Amino acid sequence: EAGVTQFPSHSVIEKGQTVTLRCDPISGHDNLYWYRRVMGKEIKFLLHFVKESKQDESGMPNNRFLAERTGGTYSTLKVQPAELEDSGVYFCASSQGLAGGQNEQFFGPGTRLTVL
Amino acid sequence: AQSVTQPDIHITVSEGASLELRCNYSYGATPYLFWYVQSPGQGLQLLLKYFSGDTLVQGIKGFEAEFKRSQSSFNLRKPSVHWSDAAEYFCAVGAPTNAGKSTFGDGTTLTVKP
């Protein structure tokens, strides 16, 4: 069974450009989460999808970030325009069933974003 | 608001020695608690979790952790470290209503000396 995959693994862009990160969850997982780790600090929650609906987007930093999950399958996270402070590692995770702690989250390897 | 503190940024132990990684949390009720490990180029892997019941939980790869409510701690232990355990370790806390929205510590990097 394939795990959570993320694309690209690395992205280097200039300030002001647009970048789109993609996450493919484990097949059949309704829950999809985005997290971000900036400057080696803690991993912070960004948002949570249940199927195609945004369950919780309280962690999204500002309106330059837009997440979508078309058809409840893969998800994209777009940053437009990118700023220097957006640099970091973006993780995606998925889990089965109802949104609750009983279900193990499976994490992808992350996308390392560098904004110059 | 919930928070997690991992006091040790970097720990070095010799192969075969015992290991304890510290984690302190802040949460208003009994939280869900997790330890993850991240090896280079890999995603976070769940080592173990505590939801309720026995406060000593066993995980994969020979790891265990003990929940101590009085100390708000959830320290990770391993009796004998292997070179392959070198990685970054994250403690996380989740609210029972939605533990998917976890709060992570800053991580502890473990180096294993031969």
Side-chain angles (χ1 to χ4, degrees), chain A residues 33 35 37 40-45 48 55-56 58 89 91 99-110, chain B residues 32 34 36 38 41-46 49 51 88 90 95-107:
Chain A
Y33 306 85
Y35 292 86
R37 190 183 192 200
K41 301 297 288 181
E42 75 271 30
I43 299 167
K44 286 192 172 181
F45 168 85
H48 169 209
Q55 179 80 8
D56 182 347
S58 61
V89 181
F91 291 101
Q102 302 288 344
N103 301 310
E104 179 178 350
Q105 287 186 84
F106 295 85
F107 280 79
Chain B
Y32 290 164
F34 308 86
Y36 291 88
Q38 185 184 22
Q42 304 295 314
L44 278 74
Q45 181 183 22
L46 181 67
K49 60 187 177 185
F51 290 160
E88 191 163 19
F90 295 91
T97 51
N98 183 7
K101 183 180 178 180
S102 297
T103 298
F104 286 80
D106 287 354

Side-chain angles (χ1 to χ4, degrees), chain B residues 22-34:
Chain B
R22 296 182 291 164
C23 173
N24 292 95
Y25 69 89
S26 174
Y27 183 69
T30 300
Y32 290 164
L33 294 161
F34 308 86

Side-chain angles (χ1 to χ4, degrees), chain A residues 62-94:
Chain A
N62 51 61
N63 59 11
R64 294 186 293 103
F65 289 75
L66 175 64
E68 295 179 323
R69 190 179 182 193
T70 306
T73 55
Y74 70 92
S75 174
T76 59
L77 180 64
K78 180 190 289 187
V79 185
Q80 180 181 30
E83 298 290 344
L84 299 179
E85 63 264 26
D86 300 332
S87 296
V89 181
Y90 290 77
F91 291 101
C92 175
S94 71

Side-chain angles (χ1 to χ4, degrees), chain B residues 27-81:
Chain B
Y27 183 69
T30 300
Y32 290 164
L33 294 161
F34 308 86
W35 273 100
Y36 291 88
V37 60
Q38 185 184 22
S39 298
Q42 304 295 314
L44 278 74
Q45 181 183 22
L46 181 67
L47 284 175
L48 46 78
K49 60 187 177 185
Y50 172 79
F51 290 160
S52 64
D54 192 345
T55 56
L56 183 64
V57 294
Q58 303 297 320
I60 61 171
K61 305 185 180 187
F63 286 92
E64 67 177 26
E66 186 171 11
F67 170 58
K68 293 186 177 180
R69 184 190 305 275
S70 61
Q71 298 177 21
S72 297
S73 69
F74 189 57
N75 295 347
L76 182 71
R77 300 193 293 251
K78 186 170 184 177
S80 177
V81 169

